[in-house]
Amino acid sequence: MEPEFRRYGAERARAVRDAVALVHREAYAEQIAADDPFAGEEAFMRRFDAYATRPDLDMVIAWCGGEPVAQAWGWPLTVRSGEAWWRGLAHEPEPGFTHEDGSRTFALSEIMVARAWTGQGIGHALHDELLSARPESRAVLLVRPRNARAYRAYTGWGWRKAGELRPDLPHAVVMDVLILPLPISAP
């Protein structure tokens, strides 16, 4: 079954909060069962609620047979949000790397696929659907270095490591910063 992609801004994202929680529970069931405090549903949904207040939020959900099966979202980094995003960066890879103006970098905050739907190309298609509409010149995301499956996917999709960062969030660990030049083509 081919997924149907639906795009949401902040207001519409808040209206599908239950769908967001469902995809998260199904995508992170192992981490939730292991009591990972960062992946727990309460902590995740607190972060989502904060993200969904951003007027510049851009979110895409993949639906199959009327059920949400995957989701991704992010926002452009402005001067202010860029300062917060880059806080915790181990070192600046090149001069001006962290300079943000609202049109340079799209921060891909979350991408997840429900376990039953992994391995079918939905994550890649979702990734491309979200990023192909972005006008920024690059995208950035954070990934745990030990998350081999995600790391392989991202590098296979053209992302490259640019540094390391510990997000300024409770229970966050050091993550690798990956960068992708934009634009990309939709699938």
Side-chain angles (χ1 to χ4, degrees), residues 38-71:
F38 192 75
E41 184 168 357
E42 186 177 322
F44 174 80
M45 292 310 295
R46 254 194 322 273
R47 290 191 307 273
F48 172 76
D49 290 339
Y51 301 148
T53 65
R54 300 182 61 88
D56 53 359
L57 178 76
D58 190 9
M59 180 173 84
V60 174
I61 297 179
W63 298 81
C64 288
E67 296 295 321
V69 300
Q71 58 200 10

Side-chain angles (χ1 to χ4, degrees), residues 14 22 36 38 56 60 67 84 98 105 132-133 151 153 172 185:
R14 289 189 298 273
L22 176 63
D36 178 334
F38 192 75
D56 53 359
V60 174
E67 296 295 321
T98 61
T105 306
S132 66
Y151 219 106
S185 300

Side-chain angles (χ1 to χ4, degrees), residues 6 8-9 13 36 44 57 84 89 120 123 135 152 159 161 166 174-175 179 186:
R6 297 181 198 162
Y8 302 83
D36 178 334
F44 174 80
L57 178 76
L89 185 66
Q120 300 178 40
R152 273 192 311 275
W159 294 83
K161 182 178 176 179
R166 180 186 303 271
V174 174
M175 311 274 261
I179 298 289

Side-chain angles (χ1 to χ4, degrees), residues 92 94-100 104 138:
E92 195 166 6
E94 60 194 48
F97 182 81
T98 61
H99 172 76
E100 301 299 347
R104 181 180 189 202
R138 69 181 186 179

Side-chain angles (χ1 to χ4, degrees), residues 2-146:
E2 289 295 315
E4 174 191 351
F5 297 108
R6 297 181 198 162
R7 189 171 294 273
Y8 302 83
E11 185 175 329
R12 290 187 60 222
R14 289 189 298 273
V16 293
R17 186 179 190 276
D18 290 344
V20 169
L22 176 63
V23 172
H24 171 259
R25 277 193 306 275
E26 292 182 8
Y28 284 88
E30 290 176 19
Q31 292 89 334
I32 293 168
D35 289 327
D36 178 334
F38 192 75
E41 184 168 357
E42 186 177 322
F44 174 80
M45 292 310 295
R46 254 194 322 273
R47 290 191 307 273
F48 172 76
D49 290 339
Y51 301 148
T53 65
R54 300 182 61 88
D56 53 359
L57 178 76
D58 190 9
M59 180 173 84
V60 174
I61 297 179
W63 298 81
C64 288
E67 296 295 321
V69 300
Q71 58 200 10
W73 65 75
W75 53 84
L77 294 181
T78 62
V79 171
R80 186 174 176 187
S81 65
E83 287 175 5
W85 178 271
W86 294 116
R87 193 175 302 125
L89 185 66
H91 67 279
E92 195 166 6
E94 60 194 48
F97 182 81
T98 61
H99 172 76
E100 301 299 347
D101 60 10
S103 63
R104 181 180 189 202
T105 306
F106 181 77
L108 178 57
S109 177
E110 297 286 345
I111 183 168
M112 62 190 72
V113 179
R115 284 274 182 209
W117 295 89
T118 60
Q120 300 178 40
I122 292 174
H124 191 189
L126 175 70
H127 165 273
D128 289 358
E129 183 70 25
L130 178 65
L131 295 180
S132 66
R134 299 306 315 169
E136 295 82 11
S137 61
R138 69 181 186 179
V140 63
L141 64 76
L142 303 176
V143 62
R144 292 180 185 209
R146 295 186 331 194

